[in-house]
Amino acid sequence: MAGTRTQADAAREAVVEAALGRLGLDAKARLLSGQDTWTLPALAEIGLKSLVMSDGPIGVRGVHWTADDPSVALPSPTALAAAWDPALARRAGALLAQEARRKGVHVLLAPTVNLHRSPLGGRHFEAYSEDPFLTGTIGAGYVAGVQSGGVGTTVKHFVANDAETERFTVDNVVCERALRELYLAPFEIIVENAHPWGVMTAYNTVNGTTMTEHHHLVNEVLRGEWGFDGYNVSDWMAARNTVAAIEGGLDVAMPGPQTVYGDALAQAVRDGKVAEAKVDDAVRNVLRLAARVGILEGAEPAVTEYPETVDGSDLAREIARRSFVLVRNHNAALPLRPDGTVALIGAAARDARVLGGGSATVFPASVVSPLDGLTAALPDGTLTYAVGADPNTELGIADKGFELRAVCRDREGNILGSGAAPNGHIQWMGPDLPDGVTHDALHTVELTGTFTPRDTGPHTFGIKGIGAFRLTVDGTTYYDDVQRPAKDDPFATFFGAPVPHAHPELTAGRPVEVSLTHVVEFPENIPMKVVSFTLSHQEPRRDPDELIAEAVEAARNADTAVVVVATTERVESEGFDRTDLTLPGRQDDLVRAVTAANPNTVVVVNSGSPVELPWREDVAAVLLSWFPGQEGGAALADVLTGTHEPGGRLPTTWGSLTDAPVTEVVPTDGQLPYTEGAFIGYRAWERAGRIPSYPFGHGLGYTEWTYESAEVRGTTVTVRLRNSGARAGREVVQVYLAPGEPDTDRPARWLAGFAGVEAGPGESVETVVELPRRAFETWDEETGSWIFVKGSYEIQVGRSIADRRVAVTINV
Ligand code: BGC
């Protein structure tokens, strides 16, 4: 059961009941329906303020989707999981609560605790791991941290939203055992240990019922069995049916103002289709949340003293370096020699990809790229830079060299108002419009200003967005027509690709006038009013062979080549899955050519989730940096120069797509059967007898560890190990449980616990890891219950699932 009820809970509950009793049906139904994109309505009659929600998970965007409302950007969730440290996740959460309070946000729409089922899942960077225990443990730390700052969370997306293809409608067919042992497990661990104030139900269907209507999983399992007492909010636009949603335990339908709740819900009660008691249950959950976050008059908030103020940049940098996974370090290539020269290579080394796209997007006030970080850290004259290969085949948001503003006009062309445009991306959601502008009067938005090019040559200009546009550059109109989406996703306007329309020859340093006018439309089938479009741009493209040759030359003249390879917005984002795991563009060719010229090549992989590294045995070192957040380049310099060791361990198996045992993300006739049952990630790799490129849990530091002993006492295992290297370090001690008798129905072994230890050179250290009862249990489909599986087990302790150092057999 989740949490113990305190006196304060009981007092809050009394205020909630009293407030509920003072509300009429219409007000209650209104409270359950978004009033706009991010908020619920205030109800003055009970002293309730408007509840504000915001994405999550790596920062708090707030209610404005724009670069002029910046947020701290932490490393991607895959990175946070790679640190294998719930206490660090908790500190991340506390910082995010601080950010939320600064922005007037009461609930953070995070964390994402779906699993890395197939490596093709496009949104994996936003989830933690392929392992439910690691996911749940990191998620619990994160939730506890956010809520310690008085801000709510919505653990999402409940449940089995493990891929993006047909995400609104896909019916994931999952056996109960896989649901319990894998997909529900992180939610269960978090509910039990961190008592979240919210859950977000997913777009997808599970076993024939869409998740916003899933009575069994929401009412019976989440609330009934686990005792969840928070609110259940739909994913954005996921709620489709008034009666089925309220019966299925959905409390809040977002976003508004048009939802299946509100008037429609009140009417359903009046028509006798829904019992008013069901509405009361949902309202009670929302009022309880409001009381906890301190916006219900008369109720004491759950948190009255906030944790100490956190420096966001410092924490972002610490998490980044503790998340970097050094998967290969041949002949101790890293850390770099202090007096050596470095050739830094790669487009992402200069224009870093610090975060994944989609709803997880935030706008950091500043970003430290690898080039910035290494320039600051290395002595003058020791660093050179070359692009080498640019994987960005597509246009980016018009930014560097652009000075823009947004002018809003009515149908007659009169100016209604104008807004700031820090770059070429406009996204005004709901009431978030420039002063003096209303949705009713607004007809066009013109992004207008100047562009001063860095380079001479053919520049490309394009448009991302849906509807009518006119694009003019330097006095020539290149496009005056209507763009329509290629795909029937209501979010296509946000996540679609920009379309190139103009290729003018421009001269470096000579400013030109630029204008993009958009006729706004507010389609009836989209419940929120959004103005969203982008002026896109791409600098002149250089010959790819010439770029590689330039990089090879730079590498030849340096002691070490550091190549940063990356995925792009087109490879990893929200709303679509991947089709392969290869690095985009000519990046593999680049690494091969650079390594041939200089064997002392260190490759930094800037991706949120696995990519194939076909040259991995030929290079000196491989460091995975994930999407490292705003301080990524500074953290990279810390780790490359050796002021800090890389602290990460793989939260997910890295291997080739051909070898990966579970890959399918494309539904057939709307259904995606999880045919692999309870075997995903390392469970599946081991069963298939395949060796991945890098196993689950793998990661090297800058010191060595000798495991001395493991001893089981009761439900704990005590591990003794020694730092046998030459410098202080941190180790993640991993405990796996392996059934003594081979059992084809169960994995060969699974993660049962872990602990971080620190020790100086030569020092021994002891740590105690709890063995949870659940690690010994399996879900029995016949009885519909957990069964404790008796027998002999080997407790295997080590550095990764493949590098097990000590073991002890027990009988339970
Ligand atoms: C995403 C959610 C997100 C919501 C609001 C949805 O498309 O799936 O994770 O919280 O949008 O931005």
Side-chain angles (χ1 to χ4, degrees):
M1 286 295 283
T4 344
R5 263 178 64 126
T6 62
Q7 244 178 343
D9 287 332
R12 256 192 307 278
E13 215 56 25
V15 179
V16 164
E17 279 311 314
L20 173 64
R22 297 209 303 279
L23 289 176
L25 175 62
D26 292 306
K28 288 190 284 196
R30 205 147 55 81
L31 179 62
L32 303 181
S33 175
Q35 71 174 351
D36 53 39
T37 321
W38 305 114
T39 73
L40 296 184
L43 297 177
E45 62 269 41
I46 54 166
L48 173 72
K49 295 197 185 111
S50 167
L51 181 98
V52 181
M53 302 169 233
S54 166
D55 288 306
I58 60 135
V60 185
R61 193 175 52 245
V63 296
H64 309 291
W65 195 298
T66 154
D68 54 10
D69 185 13
S71 319
V72 174
L74 296 178
S76 57
T78 34
L80 190 62
W84 287 60
D85 186 355
L88 188 66
R90 189 184 168 106
R91 286 169 57 208
L95 167 77
L96 296 172
Q98 178 183 308
E99 285 282 278
R101 293 196 306 271
R102 177 173 72 78
K103 293 194 165 206
V105 167
H106 307 114
V107 175
L108 189 61
L109 303 171
T112 304
V113 301
N114 300 116
L115 296 184
H116 295 167
R117 174 179 169 268
S118 154
L120 294 175
R123 209 176 166 184
H124 275 192
F125 64 89
E126 206 188 308
Y128 293 128
S129 164
E130 68 191 16
D131 181 74
F133 179 75
L134 181 60
T135 300
T137 315
I138 299 299
Y142 178 101
V143 166
V146 175
Q147 294 186 174
S148 75
V151 173
T153 53
T154 65
V155 189
K156 67 187 186 182
H157 309 86
F158 190 72
V159 64
N161 182 182
D162 310 297
E164 293 292 280
T165 309
E166 299 177 24
R167 65 176 175 156
F168 288 90
T169 51
V170 59
D171 180 10
N172 292 321
V173 182
V174 197
C175 67
E176 187 78 10
R177 177 175 167 212
L179 271 177
R180 296 286 184 155
E181 294 185 11
L182 298 176
Y183 304 101
L184 288 169
F187 291 93
E188 185 181 10
I189 293 171
I190 296 169
V191 169
E192 184 168 336
N193 295 287
H195 198 196
W197 301 344
V199 153
M200 182 189 287
T201 31
Y203 289 125
N204 52 274
T205 289
V206 172
N207 299 333
T209 307
T210 193
M211 279 313 304
T212 44
E213 301 169 9
H214 218 298
H215 172 74
H216 168 57
L217 291 176
V218 172
N219 291 331
E220 295 179 352
V221 177
L222 172 68
R223 290 197 189 279
E225 289 180 33
W226 305 344
F228 170 71
D229 71 355
Y231 87 128
N232 168 13
V233 61
S234 70
D235 198 346
W236 267 225
M237 294 165 57
R240 300 150 234 229
N241 181 305
T242 306
V243 176
I246 197 85
E247 298 285 345
L250 182 76
D251 299 323
V252 170
M254 287 297 286
Q258 295 156 41
T259 74
V260 295
Y261 283 178
D263 291 346
L265 181 58
Q267 196 53 50
V269 173
R270 293 199 171 97
D271 292 347
K273 293 184 186 140
V274 168
E276 190 163 350
K278 292 263 178 227
V279 176
D280 287 352
D281 286 344
V283 172
R284 202 173 277 120
N285 293 333
V286 175
L287 292 179
R288 183 178 305 121
L289 170 71
R292 285 171 166 159
V293 300
I295 57 167
L296 179 63
E297 207 170 84
E300 184 175 78
V303 174
T304 47
E305 257 175 68
Y306 299 133
E308 262 177 47
T309 307
V310 182
D311 183 304
S313 310
D314 285 356
L315 185 60
R317 184 167 175 168
E318 182 185 339
I319 297 173
R321 63 188 174 226
R322 289 190 51 193
S323 76
F324 293 167
V325 185
L326 183 59
V327 289
R328 175 181 168 84
N329 196 16
H330 189 59
N331 288 337
L334 287 179
L336 298 171
R337 281 203 345 252
D339 49 351
T341 54
V342 174
L344 179 65
I345 294 162
R350 184 178 61 180
D351 298 315
R353 182 136 198 248
V354 299
L355 50 86
S359 63
T361 305
V362 298
F363 301 90
S366 62
V367 165
V368 183
S369 68
L371 181 56
D372 301 330
L374 282 173
T375 305
L378 296 179
D380 279 354
T382 58
L383 181 71
T384 56
Y385 172 73
V387 174
D390 187 352
N392 293 295
T393 44
E394 127 181 336
L395 290 69
I397 296 174
D399 196 347
K400 287 194 182 87
F402 286 83
E403 301 261 344
L404 300 168
R405 70 203 168 88
V407 180
C408 300
R409 295 189 176 83
D410 66 13
R411 205 162 271 285
E412 283 74 46
N414 303 310
I415 294 181
L416 298 166
S418 63
N423 58 30
H425 181 53
I426 293 289
Q427 188 139 296
W428 298 328
M429 306 182 90
D432 189 21
L433 290 172
D435 284 349
V437 182
T438 60
H439 288 121
D440 285 346
L442 182 62
H443 182 59
T444 63
V445 180
E446 182 189 8
L447 259 177
T448 167
T450 57
F451 170 57
T452 311
R454 280 200 286 206
D455 294 323
T456 298
H459 285 250
T460 308
F461 291 80
I463 305 166
K464 176 162 154 177
I466 296 169
F469 290 95
R470 190 174 58 246
L471 172 66
T472 306
V473 182
D474 201 14
T476 306
T477 296
Y478 289 91
Y479 185 79
D480 195 353
D481 208 335
V482 178
Q483 278 192 178
R484 287 289 161 220
K487 203 174 140 197
D488 189 24
D489 180 327
F491 290 105
T493 182
F494 307 135
F495 307 145
V499 186
H501 290 298
H503 305 276
E505 283 283 337
L506 302 179
T507 311
R510 186 181 78 82
V512 292
E513 301 280 326
V514 186
S515 157
L516 176 64
T517 303
H518 173 45
V519 180
V520 298
E521 280 173 65
F522 300 116
E524 299 251 308
N525 64 343
I526 307 236
M528 51 180 172
K529 290 192 160 65
V530 178
V531 179
S532 175
F533 66 97
T534 306
L535 170 64
S536 311
H537 169 254
Q538 191 175 47
E539 294 191 325
R541 306 283 287 164
R542 295 202 24 221
D543 174 51
D545 290 325
E546 199 180 292
L547 285 179
I548 291 179
E550 201 175 270
V552 163
E553 194 52 28
R556 195 170 283 133
N557 295 324
D559 294 317
T560 308
V562 175
V563 187
V564 182
V565 293
T567 58
T568 66
E569 184 87 16
R570 273 305 114 216
V571 177
E572 288 183 88
S573 189
E574 184 178 325
F576 55 87
D577 289 313
R578 298 163 71 180
T579 48
D580 60 44
L581 301 182
T582 56
L583 283 165
R586 298 281 303 275
Q587 296 184 97
D588 285 332
D589 293 343
L590 171 70
V591 174
R592 285 197 185 97
V594 167
T595 312
N598 186 344
N600 197 26
T601 291
V602 174
V603 182
V604 177
V605 184
N606 178 193
S607 72
S609 49
V611 286
E612 285 166 359
L613 312 171
W615 32 256
R616 65 185 188 279
E617 301 286 327
D618 306 325
V619 301
V622 180
L623 181 71
L624 314 181
S625 74
W626 312 108
F627 293 143
Q630 65 177 52
E631 304 299 320
L636 184 65
D638 292 341
V639 163
L640 293 183
T641 60
T643 62
H644 293 78
E645 67 171 353
R649 305 290 186 267
L650 283 180
T652 277
T653 311
W654 277 47
S656 72
L657 185 60
T658 339
D659 288 342
V662 180
T663 55
E664 194 57 82
V665 288
V666 180
T668 310
D669 298 332
Q671 284 197 328
L672 183 66
Y674 284 24
T675 47
E676 70 286 348
F679 291 82
I680 64 166
Y682 62 77
R683 292 163 164 82
W685 282 88
E686 291 209 314
R687 184 160 78 153
R690 295 186 198 154
I691 311 288
S693 311
Y694 299 112
F696 179 78
H698 174 64
L700 308 166
Y702 288 154
T703 188
E704 302 292 325
W705 296 90
T706 307
Y707 279 67
E708 292 174 339
S709 64
E711 222 179 297
V712 175
R713 292 187 203 124
T715 61
T716 62
V717 49
T718 303
V719 183
R720 183 156 264 288
L721 64 164
R722 193 161 46 80
N723 178 345
S724 45
R727 58 178 281 169
R730 182 175 191 280
E731 169 73 331
V732 177
V733 175
Q734 302 165 34
V735 177
Y736 296 91
L737 194 61
E741 305 297 321
D743 178 350
T744 50
D745 204 31
R746 287 202 291 170
R749 74 202 93 244
W750 53 91
L751 181 70
F754 62 93
V757 297
E758 286 176 20
E763 258 173 43
S764 269
V765 60
E766 197 173 86
T767 185
V768 179
V769 180
E770 181 73 32
L771 295 170
R773 183 182 167 85
R774 181 54 58 78
F776 297 87
E777 291 179 330
T778 180
W779 183 262
D780 181 52
E781 300 245 343
E782 260 166 50
T783 56
S785 62
W786 291 102
I787 292 192
F788 187 92
V789 185
K790 294 195 176 133
S792 89
Y793 288 88
E794 197 168 57
I795 312 279
Q796 305 171 337
V797 185
R799 313 206 61 202
S800 80
I801 196 158
D803 185 1
R804 307 181 295 273
R805 299 290 179 94
V806 281
V808 44
T809 301
I810 58 164
N811 273 293
V812 293

